[in-house]
Amino acid sequence: QITLKESGPTLVKPTQTLTLTCTFSGFSLSASGVGVGWIRQPPGKALEWLALIYWDDDKRYSPSLKSRLTITKDTSKNQVVLTMTNMDPVDTATYYCAQKTSGSYYGWGQGTLVTVSS
Amino acid sequence: QAVVTQEPSLTVSPGGTVTLTCGSSTGAVTSGHYPSWFQQKPGQAPRTLIYATSNKHSWTPARFSGSLLGGKAALTLSGAQPEDEAEYYCLVSYSVAWVFGGGTKLTVL
C-alpha cells in the first residue's frame, strides 16, 4: 500500500523560506522510473504543479517558480524535501506530494495547509 | 509558460453523458503530452482517474474514459452518477514541466 504524508510548518512569515517534507512508504525512490512531485492549491483555486524529482535525481521545476524552488530526496529515509524561498501571502495553499510512476501521478498525500502571514 | 484550458463548469443529468476537454496554448494536445485527469471532491485530495491519455487505474469507474478529440484531451463520463459531482483537472506534460488546467466544476443535476 502506497502512502505519502506531507509535513512542515502551518504558518510562515512573508520573506521566509518554506521547507516541506514528503515521507512515503510502499515504494522505493530508487526504482527506475519512479518520481515524487509537489503540487499546491490555494484556497478555492486550481491545482498548480510545482516540482518533481526522479529516481535518478533528475529534477523538474515549474518555469514560473523555478528561481524559488529546490527539490531534493533522501532515499534512505524515504523522504522528498521541497524548499520555497521568499514566501508571500499569495503562496498560501494546501501543498500535496504525489508519487509518479508508469506515467501516472499514482498516489497522493492528504496535503498540508501552509498560511503565509505576518 | 504554457496555459492549459478547461471549461469552467458543466452540468450533466443523472445517467447522461458529458465530455470535458483540455486544450493547450501551444497547439494541439497529443499523446506525447501524456494528459492525465484528476477528480477532486470538496475537502479531499485529488485522485487520478486517467493517465497517458486513456489509461485507467483499478479504482477508475468504467463510466469514465479518456481520449484525444479535435486537438484536445477529453474526459468522457457516460452514465453520470450523483457521486461524480466534483472538480476535474487535467494535467499536461511539456517535457520539462507539467501544467494543470484551471479545472471544470461538474454538476450532476
Side-chain angles (χ1 to χ4, degrees), chain A residues 39 41 45-49 52 54 59-65 96 100-111, chain B residues 1 34 36 38 40 43-48 50-52 57-59 87 89 91 95-103:
Chain A
I39 299 101
Q41 185 172 38
K45 296 189 177 181
L47 299 171
E48 181 180 15
W49 186 88
L52 175 74
Y54 282 108
K59 301 170 186 177
R60 309 294 174 91
Y61 294 101
S62 167
S64 62
L65 292 168
Y96 297 99
K100 188 176 184 301
T101 183
S102 301
S104 173
Y105 283 84
Y106 187 85
W108 289 67
Q110 62 190 18
Chain B
Q1 180 167 323
Y34 302 97
S36 297
F38 303 84
Q40 187 180 34
Q44 297 182 15
R47 69 165 183 166
T48 310
I50 301 288
Y51 65 98
H57 285 296
S58 58
W59 57 79
E87 193 84 23
Y89 293 93
L91 178 66
S95 71
V96 296
W98 284 256
V99 179
F100 279 100

Side-chain angles (χ1 to χ4, degrees), chain B residues 6 14 17 21 25 30-31 56 61 63-64 69 75 81 83:
Chain B
Q6 298 182 243
T17 296
T21 68
S25 63
T30 69
S31 58
K56 299 180 184 182
R63 59 186 179 273
F64 288 95
L69 197 63
L75 176 71
Q81 301 297 311
E83 60 265 31

Side-chain angles (χ1 to χ4, degrees), chain B residues 7 11 13-14 18 23 39 47 54 59 62 72 74 86 93 96-98 102:
Chain B
E7 297 87 0
T11 299
S13 300
V18 64
Q39 179 191 63
R47 69 165 183 166
S54 58
W59 57 79
K72 296 182 179 183
S93 169
V96 296
W98 284 256

